Amino acid sequence: MFNSRIDKRKWFFINFILLYILIQLFISSLNITVIQFIFGCKVILFYIPLYFIFYFIDDVDIEKNIYKVTKILSISIIIMSLIGIIQKKIGYYNLLSIYGDSIRAFTTKGILRVFSSTASPFEYSWACLIVLAITFSYILFENRNKVLINLGFISSIVGIILSNSREGILNLLVILFTIFLMKCIIKNKKIIKIYILIIPILGILLFNFASIIANMDIVTENVYLNTILSGESFKERLIVFENAINFYESKGIMTILFGNGIGSLGAAQSMMNKLGYNILANPVDNMYLYLYLNIGLVGILGIFIFIYLNVNMIVESIDKVKQPYFQVSTLAIIASILVSGYFRTVIEGFIVQILMIYILGLSYKYAINSKKNYS
């Protein structure tokens, strides 16, 4: 059942994760409370074992599991979209009388953005985006007319629209573009890898450029640029980013290398304040900054090496597997998460974590099996 010849890379990452948890435990003991560290681990590390479900198992039919996952996710999103449509029809004020004041947190200026099937507009739109990537890849690459898959694809788009999320619309475009691009350049693996892996670097450069010109005369004189770059949301984020970086980097080189401790920034902050702890609570809406301030440059380097190895393995397997749509959809989801990371700490969402980590592990195992069969 279990493969006795586990390659060194697997053990390296398992040992790296365990060692880094110990380092973070030590750093966290100096900077944050135990409860904060535990909650931070729950947010960042709790779902990682999902990645390893298929890692050591040889006698599992990956292709059958992949199609089962596709069908189950399609059914789930169809149901969630139907709930959304029904609640949209009921109307905001009628729902307010049913749910009470708690529903106000899920609206923007009286416009309903989320439904009882998820915890937030962010979670709902990402569930739809992940299903969108898988179903659209299936339609484009498999050339089979499956009613359930088609309904899943349509329902995911409906769900993204109903979520009233700008981030959802942006990532919808990223996913569609990425899958179309891979369909066109499926044999040029080097271009695919560069496209996926250049997103973090390109995004950081664009974000820094935007922050530099935000207060320049060219912005104040141009109505369109002024709306984008001088709005309250953008400027507020820049202030939060700068304050967070200055606060944590002032603690010295160890914080820069290893962070301030898992749980020192993000959802754990807000939760600790709700529990009555007096902790700096101004979470940054940026995944890269979030990771940097929590686990440092060393932790980020480990994550990017992990992403590179997975992307490399999955890309190399595209022309060797019987169902390339799943590999393509995984790459499209990775691309959209890397893009969305500039506007939100995506990895804090439990739906994103559960589905993404599970799908990534399944894709990687599929790639390994295809390599063995091809050889």
Side-chain angles (χ1 to χ4, degrees):
M1 181 180 179
F2 292 95
N3 186 354
S4 58
R5 295 183 298 172
I6 305 301
D7 64 59
K8 293 180 181 179
R9 282 187 303 186
K10 296 175 184 176
W11 285 118
F12 169 79
F13 275 106
I14 291 171
N15 291 327
F16 177 83
I17 291 169
L18 293 174
L19 175 62
Y20 212 77
I21 289 174
L22 291 176
I23 293 173
Q24 286 295 318
L25 186 59
F26 172 73
I27 292 173
S28 299
S29 67
L30 301 176
N31 298 318
I32 62 178
T33 66
V34 175
I35 297 175
Q36 201 174 353
F37 174 74
I38 293 172
F39 190 81
C41 285
K42 180 263 177 189
V43 171
I44 297 178
L45 301 172
F46 183 74
Y47 303 107
I48 284 179
L50 285 171
Y51 179 83
F52 297 99
I53 287 178
F54 299 106
Y55 233 52
F56 306 113
I57 304 175
D58 280 336
D59 60 348
V60 62
D61 189 336
I62 293 294
E63 289 176 2
K64 187 180 290 185
N65 274 278
I66 282 172
Y67 189 62
K68 280 183 179 178
V69 168
T70 304
K71 289 197 296 183
I72 290 169
L73 288 176
S74 294
I75 292 169
S76 300
I77 220 68
I78 289 168
I79 293 171
M80 288 169 64
S81 294
L82 286 174
I83 293 172
I85 292 169
I86 291 168
Q87 293 188 310
K88 197 78 173 178
K89 287 289 185 182
I90 292 172
Y92 168 67
Y93 290 105
N94 290 326
L95 285 171
L96 187 62
S97 65
I98 298 171
Y99 290 104
D101 288 339
S102 61
I103 202 171
R104 291 186 188 278
F106 304 142
T107 62
T108 299
K109 297 179 180 178
I111 300 172
L112 188 64
R113 298 183 62 208
V114 75
F115 322 103
S116 59
S117 50
T118 57
S120 71
F122 161 67
E123 298 284 0
Y124 184 85
S125 65
W126 265 104
C128 294
L129 287 164
I130 289 171
V131 176
L132 171 78
I134 296 173
T135 53
F136 183 60
S137 294
Y138 184 93
I139 293 167
L140 209 60
F141 282 84
E142 294 299 309
N143 294 319
R144 299 176 190 173
N145 188 18
K146 297 284 186 179
V147 175
L148 180 62
I149 308 300
N150 291 338
L151 285 174
F153 172 66
I154 294 168
S155 297
S156 62
I157 294 177
V158 170
I160 292 167
I161 294 170
L162 288 173
S163 71
N164 196 31
S165 167
R166 289 173 297 178
E167 180 189 351
I169 299 297
L170 171 65
N171 282 296
L172 182 149
L173 297 176
V174 171
I175 286 172
L176 295 180
F177 174 77
T178 302
I179 294 171
F180 265 124
L181 179 68
M182 290 193 205
K183 180 69 174 177
C184 297
I185 60 168
I186 193 71
K187 293 182 179 179
N188 199 331
K189 296 178 179 179
K190 186 177 290 186
I191 298 296
I192 294 174
K193 292 176 191 176
I194 291 172
Y195 168 74
I196 300 292
L197 298 172
I198 202 69
I199 290 173
I201 299 170
L202 185 62
I204 289 170
L205 293 175
L206 288 173
F207 212 91
N208 285 334
F209 176 71
S211 64
I212 290 171
I213 68 169
N215 294 311
M216 293 175 65
D217 291 339
I218 189 174
V219 173
T220 56
E221 292 170 3
N222 186 294
V223 176
Y224 182 71
L225 286 175
N226 189 47
T227 302
I228 298 174
L229 298 178
S230 296
E232 291 182 8
S233 178
F234 184 79
K235 285 198 169 183
E236 283 175 4
R237 290 186 185 197
L238 291 180
I239 293 169
V240 171
F241 295 168
E242 185 178 357
N243 290 343
I245 291 172
N246 292 339
F247 176 76
Y248 287 106
E249 287 189 349
S250 65
K251 296 189 174 186
I253 189 66
M254 289 298 289
T255 302
I256 294 172
L257 291 176
F258 299 104
N260 196 57
I262 293 176
S264 59
L265 189 72
Q269 270 184 319
S270 302
M271 182 58 65
M272 293 304 294
N273 271 272
K274 289 177 182 178
L275 294 174
Y277 290 83
N278 185 23
I279 290 172
L280 174 68
N282 204 352
V284 292
D285 288 326
N286 185 297
M287 181 177 68
Y288 302 98
L289 192 56
Y290 168 83
L291 289 171
Y292 169 53
L293 298 176
N294 271 284
I295 61 178
L297 291 177
V298 175
I300 287 181
L301 180 62
I303 288 174
F304 278 114
I305 291 173
F306 174 75
I307 291 172
Y308 168 76
L309 292 175
N310 276 272
V311 167
N312 184 64
M313 191 73 175
I314 292 169
V315 170
E316 290 297 328
S317 72
I318 287 177
D319 60 351
K320 300 180 180 70
V321 298
K322 292 181 180 178
Q323 295 176 317
Y325 83 91
F326 199 78
Q327 307 300 68
V328 170
S329 65
T330 302
L331 294 171
I333 294 167
I334 291 172
S336 62
I337 286 176
L338 293 176
V339 169
S340 191
Y342 296 105
F343 313 103
R344 185 181 295 277
T345 49
V346 188
I347 58 171
E348 287 193 300
F350 75 96
I351 289 179
V352 181
Q353 286 187 336
I354 292 172
L355 291 180
M356 183 63 241
I357 292 173
Y358 177 79
I359 288 168
L360 186 60
L362 191 56
S363 259
Y364 189 80
K365 179 66 176 181
Y366 195 20
I368 291 173
N369 285 5
S370 69
K371 189 176 181 181
K372 290 177 183 177
N373 296 333
Y374 191 77
S375 298

